[in-house]
Amino acid sequence: MLIVNNISFSYDDVLVLKDVSFTINKGQNIALIGESGCGKSTLLKLIYGLYDLNNGEICYDNKPILGPKFNLIPGESYIKYLAQDFDLMPYITVEENVGKYLSNIYKDKKAKRVKELLEMVEMTAFANVKAKYLSGGQQQRVALAKVLALEPKVLLLDEPFSQIDTFRKNTLRRNIFCYLKEKQITSIVATHDSKDVLAFADETIVMQQGELIEKGNTKLVYEHLENKYTASLFDEVNEIPLNIFNNKSPLLLYPHHLEVVEKSNFKVMIQNNYFKGNGYLVEATFGKKLIYFESIIEYEEGQSVFLTLKA
């Protein structure tokens, strides 16, 4: 079990994390979400041991994870951390980067392991290419293979799919997260992409201004629309005024919760249509308030329609 207990951290006099606490069980995949600057990357670096805490403690299997004041070389051997800069050596090949920390004693075993990892990230064809000649997305895939080479107990990933083409990203995500589950590797993934979260994360941690504001089952965090900030990290959010749907307080809804009907007491005026492939995200106004809903058809700008809760 990974335990983060009441930790705080500051850069100089600027408090970045404040009284953050949570536990993660072995083999869980945790999504770490929040607006830019909320402390996600700093939290990953603290768990890895790159910084010293102001207060609190971080432990794995009842052993403290300590920072550079206590370790000549920061970072624990059983934890791997993939930063946004990838940390590849530019003048050696892809397969040399991936196998950098694997033992040379059993060369056949090492070669088999590197081949397996390159197949998983779909980089086999670039095995003998130097890292400096790769695109950003290709470097990111190699970096993912590299941090998995020694099968860490804990894997910390900071925006691990941010530069990868969409047509590769979906397969790669499935490959990586299935592998982590199979090997029971505990992982924390800091991300801005809700697709990294909804399909793969067992639990989601929500950060805001250096504080942990929510942690729970990912499906429940998504569905329990109690906090507009949290909901906005997943999708557009509508704040429905009082008494529109007999609600006694403002109601938060995602666009897919609304549909057009022939008549209701919720009349909106169309402003824009955004094509999404399988339909449209429609932007409308209710008074001065923006409202978003999904539709399979496009509406004319200035047209009025009536909305209700989708059954």
Side-chain angles (χ1 to χ4, degrees):
M1 181 181 289
L2 177 69
I3 299 174
V4 175
N5 183 27
N6 202 38
I7 67 169
S8 296
F9 176 78
S10 58
Y11 292 115
D12 297 324
D13 296 326
V14 180
L15 189 63
V16 179
L17 293 174
K18 180 183 178 183
D19 302 330
V20 174
S21 298
F22 58 86
T23 60
I24 300 175
N25 294 321
K26 180 180 179 181
Q28 279 193 308
N29 172 36
I30 304 297
L32 183 60
I33 64 174
E35 62 189 347
S36 297
C38 69
K40 301 189 300 294
S41 295
T42 300
L43 179 55
L44 294 185
K45 291 173 183 177
L46 287 166
I47 294 172
Y48 187 48
L50 289 180
Y51 300 145
D52 294 303
L53 296 168
N54 291 8
N55 298 297
E57 62 178 353
I58 301 173
C59 301
Y60 183 78
D61 278 355
N62 297 316
K63 297 178 182 178
I65 296 174
L66 302 173
K69 286 183 181 177
F70 302 90
N71 293 316
L72 183 62
I73 301 176
E76 299 292 340
S77 60
Y78 58 86
I79 302 177
K80 291 300 177 186
Y81 167 59
L82 176 57
Q84 294 185 47
D85 61 5
F86 310 149
D87 191 31
L88 297 178
M89 298 189 70
Y91 297 104
I92 63 175
T93 67
V94 164
E95 63 180 5
E96 287 169 337
N97 267 288
V98 173
K100 181 180 177 183
Y101 299 114
L102 295 174
S103 172
N104 286 313
I105 295 175
Y106 302 103
K107 291 189 176 181
D108 289 344
K109 185 177 180 181
K110 177 179 178 177
K112 182 179 178 182
R113 176 68 175 153
V114 170
K115 182 175 181 291
E116 174 189 60
L117 290 166
L118 290 180
E119 287 175 353
M120 182 169 62
V121 299
E122 299 182 338
M123 285 296 291
T124 304
F126 297 87
N128 296 312
V129 177
K130 290 182 179 179
K132 69 175 184 176
Y133 296 122
L134 302 178
S135 69
Q138 290 170 334
Q139 289 185 24
Q140 196 163 36
R141 283 187 276 155
V142 175
L144 279 164
K146 179 182 174 183
V147 295
L148 288 170
L150 288 173
E151 286 191 12
K153 294 180 180 178
V154 179
L155 183 62
L156 309 172
L157 302 175
D158 197 350
E159 300 289 350
F161 310 108
S162 60
Q163 296 194 38
I164 296 170
D165 298 328
T166 300
F167 78 98
R168 291 191 185 277
K169 189 183 296 187
N170 294 331
T171 300
L172 182 61
R173 268 193 295 238
R174 287 192 290 269
N175 290 347
I176 294 293
F177 289 116
C178 286
Y179 180 85
L180 296 179
K181 278 297 180 187
E182 179 187 337
K183 300 295 183 179
Q184 281 290 284
I185 296 172
T186 304
S187 62
I188 306 177
V189 182
T191 181
H192 285 94
D193 189 344
S194 62
K195 291 181 181 178
D196 294 341
V197 177
L198 293 175
F200 303 106
D202 301 307
E203 291 191 339
T204 293
I205 292 173
V206 183
M207 301 288 298
Q208 184 177 26
Q209 296 180 352
E211 297 187 52
L212 189 156
I213 64 168
E214 196 165 354
K215 178 181 182 289
N217 174 276
T218 295
K219 188 170 184 287
L220 296 180
V221 171
Y222 173 78
E223 291 178 343
H224 288 178
L225 290 167
E226 298 177 357
N227 183 304
K228 187 174 183 180
Y229 170 80
T230 297
S232 68
L233 297 173
F234 293 102
D235 203 345
E236 299 287 353
V237 184
N238 299 304
E239 190 167 4
I240 308 300
L242 298 174
N243 298 321
I244 295 296
F245 301 125
N246 296 319
N247 49 308
K248 296 179 181 179
S249 61
L251 183 65
L252 298 179
L253 298 172
Y254 292 122
H256 69 262
H257 288 143
L258 296 171
E259 65 179 349
V260 175
V261 291
E262 187 174 331
K263 193 73 175 177
S264 76
N265 63 343
F266 191 24
K267 183 180 180 181
V268 300
M269 181 176 290
I270 306 300
Q271 301 298 319
N272 285 296
N273 296 267
Y274 301 100
F275 185 57
K276 295 178 62 178
N278 60 345
Y280 296 86
L281 175 69
V282 184
E283 181 183 77
T285 52
F286 179 74
K288 295 183 178 180
K289 188 181 291 291
L290 285 175
I291 299 294
Y292 295 91
F293 65 94
E294 292 182 353
S295 171
I296 59 171
I297 65 172
E298 185 176 7
Y299 289 93
E300 292 183 9
E301 184 179 341
Q303 180 181 354
S304 293
V305 298
F306 297 92
L307 300 177
T308 192
L309 285 171
K310 187 176 288 186

